[in-house]
Amino acid sequence: MPVPHHRSGAARLPRTAVAGTAVLAAAAALLCGPAALGAAAVPSPAAAAAVPTATADDGATVTAEHWLDARTVDLTVQSPAVGGAVPVRMILPTNWAAQPNRTWPVLYLLQGAHDDYTSWTRETGIEAFSADKDMITVMPSAGPTGIPTHWSNNGQPGGADYETFQVTELMQLLQRDYRAGTARAAAGVSTGGYGALAMAARHPGAFKAVASYSGIVDTTFPGIPTIVLAIVTREGLNGLTLWGDPYVLNPTLWKNNNPALQAAGLRGTALYMSQGSGLVGGGGDPLGEGLESTLWPQAQSFSVRLLFMGIPVTTHFYTGGVHNWSSWQGEFTRSWPMLAHGLGLPS
């Protein structure tokens, strides 16, 4: 199972991914920029002589491969949807090169806010965990906010569309360039938990199984728009460029991007949702506990909504917990049997 994994000399990113109204000032003081990679790139014996040249339907293409080891490669994707180059980390199956006629299921692992696409390999032992799993593991960037959505850009053209990048462009490139199959699962932390549920709800059938760990799962729940806007402004961006004004001018756009209000699209997808209550004392991280407790009510509300809609969901709501990887690593392990089943793999 994933274990803490920190390369020597690598700076640690902040553990927080969202900021509640009561702790925004403290969160801003603790947030920092992304850590530098600590491992030197090495050529892969499985790497092709040239970067793959297949394109997605809209022209998205892989423009660079940077191999970190024989299985791990960082891709640069030129994305028309986002309007620029987007990084993606990918871990290939151990037998990927030895079985050139085989396709592989794909596990998406999604970042949290104020973090980046390297977080899962920096904070967990996903490389070792996946070594005996017949799957491609892909970790796409969702930008500094970690929200894989179509930015409204205040109603002007040109808003970055990370949702289309992840759920259309990248999926096509993985199938055409890297022998990805059609069985997919997604798991994410914090805003990545939002992304996993939102993309599954808005694109029914795209994923067989989805897991959210301390995710922002109900974006219009009382108080949650303030948190979402704080995430955006923390990155020096205008909060209204995300989905506009949540209360008066653009409530429909917010509702259309809310996993809880689009939950009908989750029917038929295996679901796992975990959330800690935070704020019980003794955790040594009052900020992380406060952030976790801020998200507790909306997670409870969403699970009740799914219950009344007759949509099965496995939940793990636990006392305590902190909004960081110390909680999320164990939640990934708990959810793995469900994710593995969705991928057609033994658990």
Side-chain angles (χ1 to χ4, degrees):
M1 67 180 182
V3 296
H5 178 74
H6 304 290
R7 294 188 176 90
S8 176
R12 292 173 62 87
L13 279 169
R15 299 304 180 87
T16 59
V18 299
T21 54
V23 292
L24 292 180
L30 292 179
L31 294 171
C32 60
L37 293 176
V42 296
S44 166
V51 174
T53 57
T55 60
D57 291 349
D58 67 353
T61 186
V62 175
T63 58
E65 291 180 341
H66 181 66
W67 291 89
L68 304 180
D69 56 45
R71 296 174 52 227
T72 308
V73 57
D74 283 350
L75 309 178
T76 301
V77 178
Q78 191 63 33
S79 165
V82 173
V86 185
V88 178
R89 177 158 292 182
M90 181 170 62
I91 304 174
L92 294 170
T94 299
N95 294 321
W96 184 82
Q99 300 181 20
N101 298 317
R102 180 177 177 180
T103 60
W104 310 83
V106 182
L107 173 65
Y108 274 59
L109 296 178
L110 307 182
Q111 68 174 89
H114 318 308
D115 211 322
D116 63 22
Y117 67 103
T118 71
S119 59
W120 278 86
T121 52
R122 186 185 64 253
E123 299 287 354
T124 77
I126 190 63
E127 300 104 322
F129 177 84
S130 62
D132 63 348
K133 311 291 190 299
D134 289 335
M135 67 182 184
I136 295 171
T137 306
V138 61
M139 294 150 280
S141 172
T145 66
I147 305 174
T149 190
H150 188 181
W151 288 62
S152 71
N153 199 26
N154 276 329
Q156 301 300 313
D161 188 352
Y162 283 96
E163 178 180 343
T164 294
F165 166 69
Q166 292 196 11
V167 86
T168 301
E169 292 177 340
L170 184 56
M171 285 183 182
Q172 291 175 357
L173 290 173
L174 292 175
Q175 288 179 308
R176 296 169 187 181
D177 284 341
Y178 298 99
R179 292 184 270 123
T182 57
R184 291 177 291 265
V189 300
S190 194
T191 55
Y194 160 83
L197 286 167
M199 290 193 296
R202 288 167 56 84
H203 302 272
F207 301 97
K208 304 288 187 183
V210 166
S212 167
Y213 318 123
S214 304
I216 301 177
V217 298
D218 189 343
T219 55
T220 60
F221 190 85
I224 299 301
T226 301
I227 296 173
V228 174
L229 293 174
I231 292 171
V232 178
T233 57
R234 172 62 185 86
E235 295 299 330
L237 303 171
N238 182 343
L240 299 182
T241 60
L242 182 63
W243 301 315
D245 171 57
Y247 303 111
V248 178
L249 299 178
N250 310 104
T252 299
L253 188 56
W254 277 74
K255 292 176 182 177
N256 289 343
N257 286 282
N258 185 352
L261 298 182
Q262 303 301 319
L266 295 171
R267 198 177 302 275
T269 301
L271 303 174
Y272 179 95
M273 187 165 61
S274 67
Q275 179 68 53
S277 66
L279 287 185
V280 295
D285 182 3
L287 175 59
E289 291 175 349
L291 291 170
E292 193 72 359
S293 67
T294 302
L295 298 178
W296 174 268
Q298 51 101 49
Q300 297 280 339
S301 174
F302 188 27
S303 68
V304 171
R305 179 185 292 270
L306 292 172
L307 175 66
F308 277 101
M309 294 179 69
I311 299 177
V313 57
T314 300
T315 59
H316 182 220
F317 296 137
Y318 50 95
T319 301
V322 184
H323 200 78
N324 65 30
W325 288 95
S326 65
S327 296
W328 299 333
Q329 291 177 72
E331 293 308 312
F332 175 80
T333 302
R334 286 177 177 270
S335 67
W336 171 246
M338 183 205 73
L339 295 170
H341 182 76
L343 295 171
L345 300 175
S347 58

